Amino acid sequence: MVHEHGDSPHGDELRTLAAEISQDRQALLRLLADLGVSVKRYKLYGAWLGEKAGRVKPNGRLLRRSGLSLLVELEALRLATQGKALLWRALLAAAPQDARLDAARLENLLRRAGRQIETLDSLHDRAARALLSPTAPLEAASATATGKEATT
């Protein structure tokens, strides 16, 4: 998303989210190592392939994005972030019984996930207003939501 919308008015927020998500992924990998859980590479590749396949959709636009793509991407990212928060919460609940789980670190990760959800909700609300406004055509609204010029 940063590649597509980095130059938009929301670029800074998206860059911050991307950096935090990367840090969360590294924290998860460290946690898995601490717990002795091996990372299944095929699952990583499957997730990557699924993300790429999700971009192929029958919206009549093969080479350019649909006006609603931003909303769909924000919704998917919010779902993933909510799932991540639930993971941190579950691990936090198990922390008192497992010395390998750092409760303070998990609390920080859970708080950050909450902030990420708030940011994604704000971005989604702003994009929805711009894209679904009854006074703006969809292409112009898409340009407003992403900060890019509409092309005809």
Side-chain angles (χ1 to χ4, degrees):
M1 283 185 68
V2 173
H3 178 71
E4 291 287 332
H5 305 288
D7 294 334
S8 77
H10 316 301
D12 288 341
E13 290 170 291
L14 291 171
R15 278 187 285 283
T16 298
L17 278 171
E20 289 179 353
I21 289 167
S22 178
Q23 292 167 4
D24 292 346
R25 183 176 183 281
Q26 292 305 312
L28 177 60
L29 292 174
R30 280 191 306 275
L31 182 62
L32 290 173
D34 291 347
L35 295 173
V37 177
S38 62
V39 176
K40 307 286 192 256
R41 295 286 174 206
Y42 70 89
K43 289 184 180 182
L44 295 175
Y45 297 129
W48 177 84
L49 184 61
E51 186 266 333
K52 299 302 178 201
R55 292 183 179 195
V56 178
K57 52 198 171 294
N59 63 7
R61 295 167 189 222
L62 185 59
L63 299 177
R64 58 190 178 114
R65 297 165 48 84
S66 163
L68 295 177
S69 294
L70 176 60
L71 283 180
V72 172
E73 290 169 355
L74 289 168
E75 290 162 1
L77 194 51
R78 191 198 191 283
L79 274 173
T81 304
Q82 188 171 357
K84 176 176 59 178
L86 291 171
L87 170 65
W88 301 142
R89 184 178 301 153
L91 292 170
L92 188 57
Q97 291 82 33
D98 193 332
R100 300 172 298 174
L101 297 171
D102 180 352
R105 177 72 176 135
L106 291 168
E107 287 172 359
N108 287 335
L109 290 165
L110 182 57
R111 276 193 298 276
R112 180 160 64 188
R115 288 191 307 270
Q116 291 169 353
I117 289 170
E118 289 173 6
T119 298
L120 289 163
D121 285 346
S122 174
L123 287 168
H124 185 274
D125 290 348
R126 287 181 272 163
R129 275 193 301 273
L131 290 167
L132 303 175
S133 170
T135 59
L138 190 55
E139 291 297 322
S142 178
T144 301
T146 61
K148 295 182 179 180
E149 294 286 326
T151 57
T152 55

